[in-house]
Amino acid sequence: MDNVSRLIASTFLRSWYFTIPIQTLFFFAKGLTFSEIMILESVLLVGILLFEVPTGVLGDKLGRKWSLVYGSLLGLLAWIPWFLAENFWLFALSFLLSGIGIAFQSGSDQALIFDDLKSRGQEGDMQRRIGRYYGGMTLGTGLAALVGGFLAQSQNLEAFYMLYILNIIAQCLGFLLLLTVQE
């Protein structure tokens, strides 16, 4: 498996969010209001906005692979508050960590793919490989949402927590695969 294929496979696994269909139900079960849920989404976007440039600078210094690794690691750490949170503030911390993780990964993925293809004289293959990259991400998210909706039919917190555990397992597998990608 070539380098770009490993990155595509890693992203496919890291996009398995089984909890997409139940996230709002989970927040309601945890006592959050609809307004608080929307504020959490805003915290995510503010985290991305505030950290886009600083993480880009760090990514240029550390390397594209390591920017992706740090972003993925922050994304994994962001799941911890989901199991501990009983109030808005721990969820807000989680969403901020996720936003910073997304900022770390933003652009580094495409740059890594381009650099890898360029080093092999295959720059003309960029569009096709980027299409596969984002297609794999979309496919992973869609399949996980279907599975998550099926597994959470009982709509209770135990089923919801099981889906979050599945999220973490898939993302850990994707993280381990990401570590095999070459700069």
Side-chain angles (χ1 to χ4, degrees), residues 38-149:
M38 292 300 101
I39 292 169
L40 290 175
E41 294 295 332
S42 297
V43 169
L44 175 77
L45 295 174
V46 166
I48 295 169
L49 181 68
L50 290 178
F51 288 91
E52 185 74 24
V53 172
T55 58
V57 171
L58 277 172
D60 288 342
K61 291 182 188 227
L62 301 171
R64 290 143 182 15
K65 172 191 174 176
W66 292 106
S67 186
L68 291 170
V69 166
Y70 292 136
S72 183
L73 187 59
L74 279 172
L76 281 168
L77 290 174
W79 289 115
I80 294 171
W82 290 74
F83 293 95
L84 305 174
E86 295 297 330
N87 63 49
F88 170 83
W89 295 106
L90 271 178
F91 283 116
L93 173 63
S94 173
F95 274 69
L96 181 62
L97 286 173
S98 291
I100 297 169
I102 291 167
F104 258 109
Q105 296 178 60
S106 174
S108 294
D109 47 4
Q110 293 177 28
L112 183 61
I113 292 170
F114 180 77
D115 289 348
D116 186 77
L117 293 173
K118 185 177 179 183
S119 73
R120 294 184 284 137
Q122 298 174 347
E123 303 95 314
D125 207 20
M126 179 70 175
Q127 289 239 254
R128 185 172 63 85
R129 298 304 285 264
I130 285 289
R132 285 185 181 167
Y133 176 80
Y134 285 110
M137 187 184 304
T138 303
L139 180 64
T141 301
L143 290 174
L146 290 172
V147 171

